[in-house]
Amino acid sequence: MFAVSNNTIAAIATPYGTGGIGIVRLSGDDSIDVAEKLFEPADKSRRLKMLSGYSGAYGRVFDKNGDIDEAVVFVYKAPKSYTGENVVEINCHGGVYVVSRVLRACLDCGASPAQPGEFTKRAFLNGKLNLTQAEAVMDIISAMGLQSSKAALSARDGVLSKKIDSIAGRLVALSSHLAAWIDYPEEDVEELESTALKQGLIEIIGDLNALLATYDNGRMLREGIDTVIAGRPNVGKSTLMNLLSGYNRSIVTNIAGTTRDIIEETVKLDDIVLRLADTAGLRETDDRVESIGVELASKRLAAASLVLAVFDSSDILNGRDIRLIDEIADRPCVAVINKADLPRQIDIDYIKSKINNVVEISANDADSIRPLSEAIKQAVKISNIDASAPIIANERQRSCAAAAAAALNDAVEALSNSATLDAVNVCIDYALDYLFSLTGQKASEAVIDEVFSRFCVGK
Ligand code: GDP
């Protein structure tokens, strides 16, 4: 483990803006001493130094120029605090000036400014949480919906790291058995049959692959579903986009081809988040500006995780519609039959024969899009995600788990090719290194710095 520096750090822990309360947080050996220098309790018997952990006092914060604000100050004593160090939280009124001046006072009294994520990094270095739990803290903060916040909280509780620990434990058992076998070939070490070893490794690879399969769902929950609204001009794509994003974002006209470039927006539909791209009408065109839009649109369409294919209920299907249906039928998609308020001309049965999830809406009427969210969940198969199960939450975790699985595949191959047992054990050791790197037990300093640099200051 790395040396833990206990110098006292300070930062504003609440958003920089006006609010009911603003909190300046201190952590480190001297945080109570620092806070003592700028806080006068109303009740003299409640000086911060006299308080036990998990308790607070009401009084005034001041600097060399006089009183700053009234405040309630909480004290947490090492190791029973978020960071595992002495922590003080100064709760004052949430004005930008007041909170900044309290922070300045802390720095003047000997604290240093905290780096992004430094509080959580100290919690990690002090063994309060492992790396996946620290990452989960960030995911809780950025969660945009029920499912993503639930999944992040489960990860904070350690469901992913426990799963990885159990996989690593099984590998360590196999590896130590193997090591004994290698070291004492003549002794009466119970022989682990090569087939049994292989079987054990294959089971672990299966577990890792199952875990890896959670990555896409986890990402969709957290970052939103990368979605394209497609359809020929004038079917109502912009109107739908505007309805979903809640305001008049693109100019809606009834002249074909008015949406020239791709507009991206993150919208929430019930408890799912969509990263929406409204694309220019998919049609060949001589207009240079529009052809750039069309080119971007087809690239985006090819890469999207979800296609909302919009059709005009009041018109018959044309070749363009049929081509779109054929292009997306095998992918996660929802056919949105728009303009359901107008007399129906479209052959809806044809669409239903090709596409599983079909909804009829009127993009002019907000109430009519209710069934859309369920259809989307069905299409991307997130309707029954278990948010309390272990989920691979980010690219770092995914690459560690994938590398561990690849190393174990190498081990199995080595066994099949009758390579030396040493070679097999080396592969298992690699896999263990990747798993320990995932949970942070053996992560390099660079990896740890990278993880925490993505946090905000004050977290
Ligand atoms: P886009 O080219 O696919 O983006 O289509 P627009 O969103 O610009 O819509 C084309 C025209 O259809 C506009 O005049 C819209 O007001 C109209 N429109 C869109 N949705 C509906 C709907 O549900 N019902 C009716 N009656 N008209 C609609």
Side-chain angles (χ1 to χ4, degrees), residues 232-240 252-254 257-259 338-342 361-364:
R232 65 175 152 97
N234 242 17
V235 291
K237 297 182 300 297
S238 309
T239 315
L240 175 62
V252 180
T253 69
N254 49 14
T258 41
T259 318
N338 188 33
K339 308 195 191 181
D341 53 309
L342 299 178
I361 68 156
S362 173
N364 286 332

Side-chain angles (χ1 to χ4, degrees), residues 130-137 155-156 158 160-161 396-397 438-439:
N130 61 45
L131 211 49
T132 64
Q133 290 175 309
E135 286 170 318
V137 168
R156 172 66 186 87
L160 175 63
S161 44
R396 185 194 72 79
Q397 296 173 0
L438 201 166
T439 56

Side-chain angles (χ1 to χ4, degrees), residues 12-24 61 68-72 90-102:
I12 298 168
T14 40
Y16 196 68
T18 50
I21 295 171
I23 300 177
V24 173
V61 268
I68 303 175
D69 192 10
E70 54 180 350
V72 173
I90 304 169
N91 294 245
C92 49
H93 290 108
V96 172
Y97 170 74
V98 166
V99 178
S100 311
R101 196 169 148 197
V102 172

Side-chain angles (χ1 to χ4, degrees), residues 184-258:
Y184 306 103
E186 301 89 30
E187 305 237 338
D188 189 19
V189 178
E190 186 196 339
E191 276 212 358
L192 183 68
E193 292 283 335
S194 154
T195 47
L197 172 60
K198 204 196 264 180
Q199 194 50 42
L201 291 173
I202 288 170
E203 273 169 27
I204 293 173
I205 293 169
D207 280 6
L208 282 172
N209 284 339
L211 207 49
L212 282 164
T214 64
Y215 176 60
D216 282 341
N217 282 343
R219 204 180 43 174
M220 282 197 248
L221 288 184
R222 219 178 31 261
E223 295 168 13
I225 306 163
D226 183 9
T227 306
V228 158
I229 300 181
R232 65 175 152 97
N234 242 17
V235 291
K237 297 182 300 297
S238 309
T239 315
L240 175 62
M241 174 90 176
N242 289 339
L243 179 64
L244 290 171
S245 47
Y247 63 100
N248 240 27
R249 178 69 204 275
S250 41
I251 305 152
V252 180
T253 69
N254 49 14
I255 306 157
T258 41

Side-chain angles (χ1 to χ4, degrees), residues 8-12 24-26 30-40 60-69 71 73 88 90 92 96-113:
T8 295
I9 50 169
I12 298 168
V24 173
R25 176 150 68 170
L26 292 150
D30 300 330
S31 56
I32 298 170
D33 296 323
V34 170
E36 275 265 334
K37 292 186 201 157
L38 52 93
F39 176 72
E40 184 68 39
R60 297 238 154 190
V61 268
F62 58 88
D63 60 15
K64 56 184 181 305
N65 298 315
D67 278 358
I68 303 175
D69 192 10
V73 177
V88 174
I90 304 169
C92 49
V96 172
Y97 170 74
V98 166
V99 178
S100 311
R101 196 169 148 197
V102 172
L103 173 63
R104 184 76 255 159
C106 292
L107 302 181
D108 288 345
C109 292
S112 351

